[in-house]
Amino acid sequence: MPVVETVRGPIDVTALGRTLMHEHVFVLGTENVENYGAGDWWDEEEKVADAVGKLRELAGRGITTIADPTVWGLGRYIPRIQRIAEQVPELNIIVATGIYTYHDIPFQFRFRGPGTMLDRGPDPMIADFVRDLTEGIAGTGVKAAFLKCAVDAPGLTPAVERILRAVAGTHRETGAPVTVHTDSSIHAGRTVVGVLGEEGVDLAKVVIGHAGDSNDLDYLMELADTGAILGMDRFGLDLLNPTENRVATIAALCERGYADRIVLSHDASCFIDWFGPDPATVPAMQPNWHYRHISDEVLPALRAAGVSEAQLDQMLVGNPRRHFTR
């Protein structure tokens, strides 16, 4: 049987079980932590213990896998995730490679690669991404299992396009599936399927992240009709789209036969430093934005809206399994 790489090593794809396809363990600016966190708001042991508790609680609700799309730009640090994964053996954590930016490319690639002063063959990003997928990340031995990039409100800037095409090149070389953060307010999913389709990417292996911020059924069906998977993955971020609207949209899509192209998640984390160092800020701002929301509130709401158990299993089990099968 096909296998998928996790933080603890490869497992059979049939062992993924119920999978949340877009959850972060930590979202941290590494330079922020190194320069302003230690001895102030960042206590490594405390944060690791807190994450272990939250992930055990998630596993206790029957979720057996999370896909963590934390890449360069979001503070990926695999040794910390390894420590946590070893203490939560009942949960699989799948990690990603790629670059997360809305506008500019990291300076480490700005002068190397296509169209730069050091334009010498293939984009060096591709070699880095391939190494993460085939050899492991930063000497840890942990292999990424998917690719991640972003197209947000600024649209397809030259840097964002370059990263998207490097992700496509890596997909062609390795077959690794792809998740793209998108801004639904500008219908960025159209840009994603257009560029990736042009690059020869198998769109059935592409998750349009944050598609669930939109309730525009025509837009969502247009994306799904390309074969792409709709990431209905920000449950709890009610400021962007209330849960009741997200539920109604998914129910309408399921009624139209799209359950085989939907995955679910929260895009939550154990800690994110975007809103400052106080861990109480996020719960106060968005009280439902946590790992428990789908299990405790969303699934019952979807059932009440007419979504069948078979459709829920398709979104939580079947579609993730197919996505990670190469």
Side-chain angles (χ1 to χ4, degrees):
M1 291 294 293
V3 299
V4 58
E5 294 291 341
T6 76
V7 172
R8 289 191 300 272
I11 63 170
D12 194 302
V13 292
T14 61
L16 289 176
R18 286 200 158 193
T19 301
L20 299 182
M21 285 286 284
H22 196 120
E23 305 290 357
H24 302 275
V25 179
F26 292 113
V27 177
L28 291 168
T30 302
E31 288 187 289
N32 185 24
V33 172
E34 290 180 351
N35 286 280
Y36 300 107
D40 185 5
W41 54 269
W42 182 258
D43 182 309
E44 182 79 13
E45 298 306 314
E46 176 186 293
K47 295 300 187 190
V48 166
D50 180 66
V52 167
K54 288 173 177 173
L55 292 171
R56 283 175 177 166
E57 190 175 38
L58 173 63
R61 283 163 165 76
I63 302 298
T64 50
T65 303
I66 61 170
D68 182 345
T70 306
V71 293
W72 183 339
L74 291 169
R76 184 183 71 180
Y77 183 59
I78 296 300
R80 182 182 296 124
I81 305 304
Q82 285 179 291
R83 287 188 62 198
I84 292 164
E86 289 304 318
Q87 296 179 66
V88 193
E90 61 270 36
L91 184 75
N92 305 305
I93 303 175
I94 300 171
V95 296
T97 186
I99 294 176
Y100 183 90
T101 181
Y102 296 169
H103 194 280
D104 295 321
I105 205 160
F107 278 104
Q108 291 79 11
F109 295 105
R110 189 179 183 90
F111 306 108
R112 298 185 297 137
T116 72
M117 66 173 64
L118 297 176
D119 187 348
R120 298 171 181 170
D123 199 310
M125 281 187 280
I126 295 175
D128 287 350
F129 299 163
V130 169
R131 183 168 59 251
D132 284 353
L133 289 159
T134 60
E135 299 177 21
I137 299 168
T140 63
V142 174
K143 296 178 183 179
F146 66 110
L147 292 145
K148 163 74 177 296
C149 59
V151 181
D152 203 84
L156 198 66
T157 69
V160 165
E161 181 175 1
R162 183 180 157 194
I163 294 166
L164 189 58
R165 293 189 187 278
V167 162
T170 307
H171 166 85
R172 291 195 305 270
E173 185 167 338
T174 65
V178 178
T179 288
V180 183
H181 163 109
T182 66
D183 185 324
S184 286
S185 71
I186 64 163
H187 288 173
R190 287 192 180 118
T191 301
V192 169
V193 298
V195 172
L196 293 184
E198 175 187 312
E199 287 281 343
V201 171
D202 179 0
L203 294 179
K205 291 296 185 182
V206 177
V207 173
I208 306 299
H210 315 323
D213 289 348
S214 175
N215 301 307
D216 182 341
L217 292 177
D218 289 337
Y219 167 64
L220 295 171
M221 290 188 293
E222 175 189 332
L223 296 178
D225 286 341
T226 70
I229 301 170
L230 303 175
M232 314 304 267
D233 53 22
R234 274 183 165 172
F235 275 104
L237 270 173
D238 293 332
L239 281 172
L240 298 178
N241 193 13
T243 292
E244 57 266 29
N245 292 351
R246 295 178 188 271
V247 166
T249 296
I250 291 173
L253 289 167
C254 287
E255 186 178 10
R256 288 162 172 77
Y258 289 96
D260 64 338
R261 277 153 285 177
I262 295 172
V263 292
L264 305 178
S265 215
H266 306 93
D267 192 20
S269 57
C270 297
F271 181 77
I272 178 171
D273 66 356
W274 288 13
F275 307 102
D278 185 352
T281 300
V282 168
M285 177 182 65
Q286 292 286 267
N288 292 322
W289 196 28
H290 53 73
Y291 297 144
R292 306 180 304 278
H293 183 46
I294 287 176
S295 299
D296 292 358
E297 284 92 32
V298 173
L299 296 184
L302 286 169
R303 293 184 184 103
V307 178
S308 70
E309 292 299 325
Q311 289 170 325
L312 292 177
D313 284 343
Q314 181 76 58
M315 293 184 281
L316 287 168
V317 180
N319 296 342
R321 179 185 299 172
R322 185 181 73 238
H323 185 66
F324 286 113
T325 298
R326 294 199 226 170

